[in-house]
PDB file of all heavy atoms in Angstrom:
ATOM      1  N   LYS A 314      20.321  25.793 186.160  1.00 90.00           N
ATOM      2  CA  LYS A 314      20.966  24.775 185.330  1.00 90.00           C
ATOM      3  C   LYS A 314      20.898  25.160 183.853  1.00 90.00           C
ATOM      4  O   LYS A 314      20.085  26.000 183.462  1.00 90.00           O
ATOM      5  CB  LYS A 314      20.257  23.437 185.537  1.00 90.00           C
ATOM      6  CG  LYS A 314      20.502  22.879 186.915  1.00 90.00           C
ATOM      7  CD  LYS A 314      20.174  21.404 186.955  1.00 90.00           C
ATOM      8  CE  LYS A 314      20.644  20.807 188.256  1.00 90.00           C
ATOM      9  NZ  LYS A 314      19.852  19.644 188.644  1.00 90.00           N
ATOM     10  N   PRO A 315      21.711  24.534 183.036  1.00 89.00           N
ATOM     11  CA  PRO A 315      21.639  24.808 181.607  1.00 89.00           C
ATOM     12  C   PRO A 315      20.251  24.467 181.056  1.00 89.00           C
ATOM     13  O   PRO A 315      19.596  23.552 181.558  1.00 89.00           O
ATOM     14  CB  PRO A 315      22.686  23.876 181.004  1.00 89.00           C
ATOM     15  CG  PRO A 315      23.612  23.543 182.114  1.00 89.00           C
ATOM     16  CD  PRO A 315      22.781  23.567 183.356  1.00 89.00           C
ATOM     17  N   ASN A 316      19.813  25.269 180.083  1.00 92.00           N
ATOM     18  CA  ASN A 316      18.614  24.962 179.309  1.00 92.00           C
ATOM     19  C   ASN A 316      17.279  25.205 180.000  1.00 92.00           C
ATOM     20  O   ASN A 316      16.243  24.845 179.467  1.00 92.00           O
ATOM     21  CB  ASN A 316      18.645  23.516 178.828  1.00 92.00           C
ATOM     22  CG  ASN A 316      18.697  23.469 177.316  1.00 92.00           C
ATOM     23  OD1 ASN A 316      19.131  24.434 176.682  1.00 92.00           O
ATOM     24  ND2 ASN A 316      18.243  22.378 176.732  1.00 92.00           N
ATOM     25  N   VAL A 317      17.297  25.815 181.202  1.00 94.00           N
ATOM     26  CA  VAL A 317      16.013  26.077 181.861  1.00 94.00           C
ATOM     27  C   VAL A 317      15.314  27.295 181.261  1.00 94.00           C
ATOM     28  O   VAL A 317      14.120  27.487 181.469  1.00 94.00           O
ATOM     29  CB  VAL A 317      16.179  26.269 183.381  1.00 94.00           C
ATOM     30  CG1 VAL A 317      16.566  24.955 184.059  1.00 94.00           C
ATOM     31  CG2 VAL A 317      17.189  27.349 183.700  1.00 94.00           C
ATOM     32  N   GLY A 318      16.063  28.129 180.519  1.00 94.00           N
ATOM     33  CA  GLY A 318      15.435  29.295 179.874  1.00 94.00           C
ATOM     34  C   GLY A 318      15.957  30.639 180.355  1.00 94.00           C
ATOM     35  O   GLY A 318      15.287  31.660 180.188  1.00 94.00           O
ATOM     36  N   LYS A 319      17.145  30.656 180.918  1.00 92.00           N
ATOM     37  CA  LYS A 319      17.697  31.904 181.478  1.00 92.00           C
ATOM     38  C   LYS A 319      17.881  32.969 180.401  1.00 92.00           C
ATOM     39  O   LYS A 319      17.475  34.119 180.572  1.00 92.00           O
ATOM     40  CB  LYS A 319      19.054  31.620 182.157  1.00 92.00           C
ATOM     41  CG  LYS A 319      18.966  30.668 183.330  1.00 92.00           C
ATOM     42  CD  LYS A 319      20.321  30.435 183.964  1.00 92.00           C
ATOM     43  CE  LYS A 319      21.306  29.742 183.027  1.00 92.00           C
ATOM     44  NZ  LYS A 319      20.860  28.412 182.603  1.00 92.00           N
ATOM     45  N   SER A 320      18.491  32.577 179.290  1.00 92.00           N
ATOM     46  CA  SER A 320      18.750  33.563 178.238  1.00 92.00           C
ATOM     47  C   SER A 320      17.445  34.028 177.609  1.00 92.00           C
ATOM     48  O   SER A 320      17.306  35.196 177.229  1.00 92.00           O
ATOM     49  CB  SER A 320      19.677  32.968 177.175  1.00 92.00           C
ATOM     50  OG  SER A 320      20.927  32.653 177.765  1.00 92.00           O
ATOM     51  N   THR A 321      16.478  33.119 177.517  1.00 94.00           N
ATOM     52  CA  THR A 321      15.166  33.505 176.986  1.00 94.00           C
ATOM     53  C   THR A 321      14.537  34.561 177.896  1.00 94.00           C
ATOM     54  O   THR A 321      13.931  35.528 177.425  1.00 94.00           O
ATOM     55  CB  THR A 321      14.249  32.271 176.898  1.00 94.00           C
ATOM     56  OG1 THR A 321      14.951  31.225 176.222  1.00 94.00           O
ATOM     57  CG2 THR A 321      12.967  32.592 176.154  1.00 94.00           C
ATOM     58  N   LEU A 322      14.723  34.415 179.213  1.00 94.00           N
ATOM     59  CA  LEU A 322      14.171  35.396 180.149  1.00 94.00           C
ATOM     60  C   LEU A 322      14.878  36.743 180.007  1.00 94.00           C
ATOM     61  O   LEU A 322      14.230  37.796 180.018  1.00 94.00           O
ATOM     62  CB  LEU A 322      14.276  34.892 181.594  1.00 94.00           C
ATOM     63  CG  LEU A 322      13.768  35.886 182.651  1.00 94.00           C
ATOM     64  CD1 LEU A 322      12.294  36.208 182.446  1.00 94.00           C
ATOM     65  CD2 LEU A 322      14.001  35.365 184.060  1.00 94.00           C
ATOM     66  N   ILE A 333      22.020  34.521 172.943  1.00 80.00           N
ATOM     67  CA  ILE A 333      21.753  33.422 172.016  1.00 80.00           C
ATOM     68  C   ILE A 333      20.972  32.348 172.761  1.00 80.00           C
ATOM     69  O   ILE A 333      21.351  31.926 173.858  1.00 80.00           O
ATOM     70  CB  ILE A 333      23.063  32.826 171.472  1.00 80.00           C
ATOM     71  CG1 ILE A 333      23.868  33.914 170.751  1.00 80.00           C
ATOM     72  CG2 ILE A 333      22.782  31.648 170.550  1.00 80.00           C
ATOM     73  CD1 ILE A 333      25.258  33.460 170.340  1.00 80.00           C
ATOM     74  N   VAL A 334      19.853  31.961 172.175  1.00 84.00           N
ATOM     75  CA  VAL A 334      19.027  30.927 172.772  1.00 84.00           C
ATOM     76  C   VAL A 334      19.037  29.700 171.868  1.00 84.00           C
ATOM     77  O   VAL A 334      18.733  29.792 170.689  1.00 84.00           O
ATOM     78  CB  VAL A 334      17.572  31.425 172.934  1.00 84.00           C
ATOM     79  CG1 VAL A 334      16.660  30.286 173.354  1.00 84.00           C
ATOM     80  CG2 VAL A 334      17.508  32.563 173.933  1.00 84.00           C
ATOM     81  N   THR A 335      19.425  28.551 172.424  1.00 81.00           N
ATOM     82  CA  THR A 335      19.315  27.301 171.673  1.00 81.00           C
ATOM     83  C   THR A 335      18.874  26.222 172.653  1.00 81.00           C
ATOM     84  O   THR A 335      18.814  26.469 173.864  1.00 81.00           O
ATOM     85  CB  THR A 335      20.666  26.840 171.069  1.00 81.00           C
ATOM     86  OG1 THR A 335      21.492  26.358 172.130  1.00 81.00           O
ATOM     87  CG2 THR A 335      21.363  27.955 170.333  1.00 81.00           C
ATOM     88  N   ASP A 336      18.565  25.058 172.117  1.00 81.00           N
ATOM     89  CA  ASP A 336      18.224  23.977 173.046  1.00 81.00           C
ATOM     90  C   ASP A 336      19.462  23.151 173.409  1.00 81.00           C
ATOM     91  O   ASP A 336      19.359  22.083 173.980  1.00 81.00           O
ATOM     92  CB  ASP A 336      17.110  23.086 172.472  1.00 81.00           C
ATOM     93  CG  ASP A 336      17.453  22.608 171.068  1.00 81.00           C
ATOM     94  OD1 ASP A 336      18.600  22.855 170.628  1.00 81.00           O
ATOM     95  OD2 ASP A 336      16.594  21.986 170.419  1.00 81.00           O
ATOM     96  N   THR A 341      25.225  29.524 176.699  1.00 80.00           N
ATOM     97  CA  THR A 341      25.755  30.750 177.294  1.00 80.00           C
ATOM     98  C   THR A 341      26.971  30.395 178.135  1.00 80.00           C
ATOM     99  O   THR A 341      26.874  29.590 179.051  1.00 80.00           O
ATOM    100  CB  THR A 341      24.701  31.419 178.196  1.00 80.00           C
ATOM    101  OG1 THR A 341      23.483  31.520 177.479  1.00 80.00           O
ATOM    102  CG2 THR A 341      25.157  32.796 178.625  1.00 80.00           C
ATOM    103  N   ASP A 360      22.721  37.650 182.737  1.00 90.00           N
ATOM    104  CA  ASP A 360      22.474  36.259 182.357  1.00 90.00           C
ATOM    105  C   ASP A 360      23.800  35.525 182.501  1.00 90.00           C
ATOM    106  O   ASP A 360      24.859  36.061 182.207  1.00 90.00           O
ATOM    107  CB  ASP A 360      21.985  36.221 180.905  1.00 90.00           C
ATOM    108  CG  ASP A 360      21.758  34.797 180.409  1.00 90.00           C
ATOM    109  OD1 ASP A 360      21.549  33.897 181.249  1.00 90.00           O
ATOM    110  OD2 ASP A 360      21.790  34.595 179.180  1.00 90.00           O
ATOM    111  N   ASN A 408       9.948  28.168 185.231  1.00 97.00           N
ATOM    112  CA  ASN A 408       9.723  28.522 183.826  1.00 97.00           C
ATOM    113  C   ASN A 408       8.983  27.407 183.069  1.00 97.00           C
ATOM    114  O   ASN A 408       8.803  26.312 183.572  1.00 97.00           O
ATOM    115  CB  ASN A 408      11.083  28.787 183.157  1.00 97.00           C
ATOM    116  CG  ASN A 408      10.946  29.451 181.791  1.00 97.00           C
ATOM    117  OD1 ASN A 408       9.975  30.156 181.528  1.00 97.00           O
ATOM    118  ND2 ASN A 408      11.915  29.207 180.921  1.00 97.00           N
ATOM    119  N   LYS A 409       8.594  27.748 181.854  1.00 97.00           N
ATOM    120  CA  LYS A 409       7.979  26.811 180.895  1.00 97.00           C
ATOM    121  C   LYS A 409       6.600  26.314 181.332  1.00 97.00           C
ATOM    122  O   LYS A 409       6.259  25.146 181.120  1.00 97.00           O
ATOM    123  CB  LYS A 409       8.924  25.623 180.617  1.00 97.00           C
ATOM    124  CG  LYS A 409      10.349  26.060 180.224  1.00 97.00           C
ATOM    125  CD  LYS A 409      11.157  24.973 179.569  1.00 97.00           C
ATOM    126  CE  LYS A 409      12.597  25.428 179.317  1.00 97.00           C
ATOM    127  NZ  LYS A 409      13.478  24.476 178.715  1.00 97.00           N
ATOM    128  N   ILE A 410       5.804  27.206 181.939  1.00 96.00           N
ATOM    129  CA  ILE A 410       4.460  26.786 182.348  1.00 96.00           C
ATOM    130  C   ILE A 410       3.555  26.544 181.143  1.00 96.00           C
ATOM    131  O   ILE A 410       2.505  25.927 181.266  1.00 96.00           O
ATOM    132  CB  ILE A 410       3.794  27.814 183.298  1.00 96.00           C
ATOM    133  CG1 ILE A 410       3.751  29.198 182.637  1.00 96.00           C
ATOM    134  CG2 ILE A 410       4.496  27.869 184.638  1.00 96.00           C
ATOM    135  CD1 ILE A 410       2.886  30.181 183.394  1.00 96.00           C
ATOM    136  N   ASP A 411       3.989  27.041 179.969  1.00 96.00           N
ATOM    137  CA  ASP A 411       3.180  26.797 178.765  1.00 96.00           C
ATOM    138  C   ASP A 411       3.123  25.301 178.433  1.00 96.00           C
ATOM    139  O   ASP A 411       2.159  24.831 177.830  1.00 96.00           O
ATOM    140  CB  ASP A 411       3.749  27.582 177.574  1.00 96.00           C
ATOM    141  CG  ASP A 411       5.230  27.303 177.352  1.00 96.00           C
ATOM    142  OD1 ASP A 411       6.005  27.344 178.344  1.00 96.00           O
ATOM    143  OD2 ASP A 411       5.616  27.037 176.199  1.00 96.00           O
ATOM    144  N   LEU A 412       4.131  24.586 178.855  1.00 95.00           N
ATOM    145  CA  LEU A 412       4.152  23.145 178.549  1.00 95.00           C
ATOM    146  C   LEU A 412       3.141  22.376 179.389  1.00 95.00           C
ATOM    147  O   LEU A 412       2.679  21.311 178.994  1.00 95.00           O
ATOM    148  CB  LEU A 412       5.558  22.578 178.785  1.00 95.00           C
ATOM    149  CG  LEU A 412       6.664  23.143 177.882  1.00 95.00           C
ATOM    150  CD1 LEU A 412       8.010  22.543 178.242  1.00 95.00           C
ATOM    151  CD2 LEU A 412       6.331  22.884 176.411  1.00 95.00           C
ATOM    152  N   ILE A 471       6.232  31.365 185.337  1.00 97.00           N
ATOM    153  CA  ILE A 471       6.218  32.133 184.087  1.00 97.00           C
ATOM    154  C   ILE A 471       6.486  31.231 182.868  1.00 97.00           C
ATOM    155  O   ILE A 471       6.866  30.072 183.014  1.00 97.00           O
ATOM    156  CB  ILE A 471       7.299  33.238 184.088  1.00 97.00           C
ATOM    157  CG1 ILE A 471       8.701  32.602 184.067  1.00 97.00           C
ATOM    158  CG2 ILE A 471       7.176  34.158 185.286  1.00 97.00           C
ATOM    159  CD1 ILE A 471       9.771  33.550 183.569  1.00 97.00           C
ATOM    160  N   SER A 472       6.278  31.827 181.711  1.00 97.00           N
ATOM    161  CA  SER A 472       6.844  31.239 180.502  1.00 97.00           C
ATOM    162  C   SER A 472       7.664  32.322 179.830  1.00 97.00           C
ATOM    163  O   SER A 472       7.115  33.310 179.339  1.00 97.00           O
ATOM    164  CB  SER A 472       5.743  30.762 179.551  1.00 97.00           C
ATOM    165  OG  SER A 472       6.335  30.515 178.281  1.00 97.00           O
ATOM    166  N   ALA A 473       8.970  32.163 179.872  1.00 96.00           N
ATOM    167  CA  ALA A 473       9.844  33.181 179.293  1.00 96.00           C
ATOM    168  C   ALA A 473       9.626  33.252 177.789  1.00 96.00           C
ATOM    169  O   ALA A 473       9.613  34.326 177.193  1.00 96.00           O
ATOM    170  CB  ALA A 473      11.299  32.860 179.605  1.00 96.00           C
ATOM    171  N   LYS A 474       9.419  32.083 177.183  1.00 96.00           N
ATOM    172  CA  LYS A 474       9.280  32.020 175.734  1.00 96.00           C
ATOM    173  C   LYS A 474       7.981  32.676 175.271  1.00 96.00           C
ATOM    174  O   LYS A 474       7.969  33.443 174.321  1.00 96.00           O
ATOM    175  CB  LYS A 474       9.321  30.566 175.291  1.00 96.00           C
ATOM    176  CG  LYS A 474       9.441  30.373 173.801  1.00 96.00           C
ATOM    177  CD  LYS A 474       9.661  28.904 173.497  1.00 96.00           C
ATOM    178  CE  LYS A 474       9.759  28.629 172.029  1.00 96.00           C
ATOM    179  NZ  LYS A 474      10.004  27.166 171.827  1.00 96.00           N
ATOM    180  N   GLN A 475       6.890  32.396 175.981  1.00 96.00           N
ATOM    181  CA  GLN A 475       5.594  32.971 175.604  1.00 96.00           C
ATOM    182  C   GLN A 475       5.363  34.337 176.257  1.00 96.00           C
ATOM    183  O   GLN A 475       4.336  34.960 176.033  1.00 96.00           O
ATOM    184  CB  GLN A 475       4.451  32.024 176.014  1.00 96.00           C
ATOM    185  CG  GLN A 475       4.572  30.600 175.469  1.00 96.00           C
ATOM    186  CD  GLN A 475       4.514  30.557 173.950  1.00 96.00           C
ATOM    187  OE1 GLN A 475       3.993  31.471 173.310  1.00 96.00           O
ATOM    188  NE2 GLN A 475       5.067  29.496 173.365  1.00 96.00           N
TER     189      GLN A 475
HETATM  190  N1  GDP B 701       8.263  25.724 175.994  1.00 72.69           N
HETATM  191  C1  GDP B 701       9.122  26.604 176.473  1.00 72.69           C
HETATM  192  N2  GDP B 701      10.411  26.571 176.099  1.00 72.69           N
HETATM  193  C2  GDP B 701      11.247  27.485 176.582  1.00 72.69           C
HETATM  194  C3  GDP B 701      10.807  28.499 177.494  1.00 72.69           C
HETATM  195  N3  GDP B 701      11.853  29.265 177.808  1.00 72.69           N
HETATM  196  C4  GDP B 701      12.917  28.768 177.130  1.00 72.69           C
HETATM  197  N4  GDP B 701      12.554  27.699 176.394  1.00 72.69           N
HETATM  198  C5  GDP B 701      13.431  26.907 175.521  1.00 72.69           C
HETATM  199  O1  GDP B 701      14.405  26.232 176.306  1.00 72.69           O
HETATM  200  C6  GDP B 701      15.625  26.113 175.575  1.00 72.69           C
HETATM  201  C7  GDP B 701      16.766  26.706 176.379  1.00 72.69           C
HETATM  202  O2  GDP B 701      16.570  28.083 176.509  1.00 72.69           O
HETATM  203  P1  GDP B 701      17.745  29.061 176.920  1.00 72.69           P
HETATM  204  O3  GDP B 701      17.158  30.404 177.182  1.00 72.69           O
HETATM  205  O4  GDP B 701      18.876  28.988 175.970  1.00 72.69           O
HETATM  206  O5  GDP B 701      18.198  28.397 178.297  1.00 72.69           O
HETATM  207  P2  GDP B 701      19.488  28.715 179.203  1.00 72.69           P
HETATM  208  O6  GDP B 701      20.482  27.667 178.896  1.00 72.69           O
HETATM  209  O7  GDP B 701      18.984  28.602 180.609  1.00 72.69           O
HETATM  210  O8  GDP B 701      19.958  30.090 178.868  1.00 72.69           O
HETATM  211  C8  GDP B 701      15.397  26.839 174.244  1.00 72.69           C
HETATM  212  O9  GDP B 701      15.069  25.886 173.275  1.00 72.69           O
HETATM  213  C9  GDP B 701      14.211  27.746 174.536  1.00 72.69           C
HETATM  214  O10 GDP B 701      13.461  28.049 173.401  1.00 72.69           O
HETATM  215  C10 GDP B 701       9.416  28.513 177.860  1.00 72.69           C
HETATM  216  O11 GDP B 701       8.934  29.348 178.622  1.00 72.69           O
HETATM  217  N5  GDP B 701       8.640  27.536 177.332  1.00 72.69           N
END
Side-chain angles (χ1 to χ4, degrees):
K314 291 198 170 153
N316 244 23
V317 291
K319 298 180 296 299
S320 297
T321 310
L322 178 61
I333 301 172
V334 171
T335 73
D336 52 7
T341 310
D360 178 23
N408 192 27
K409 309 197 185 179
I410 56 169
D411 53 312
L412 296 178
I471 67 159
S472 166
K474 191 172 179 179
Q475 305 297 338

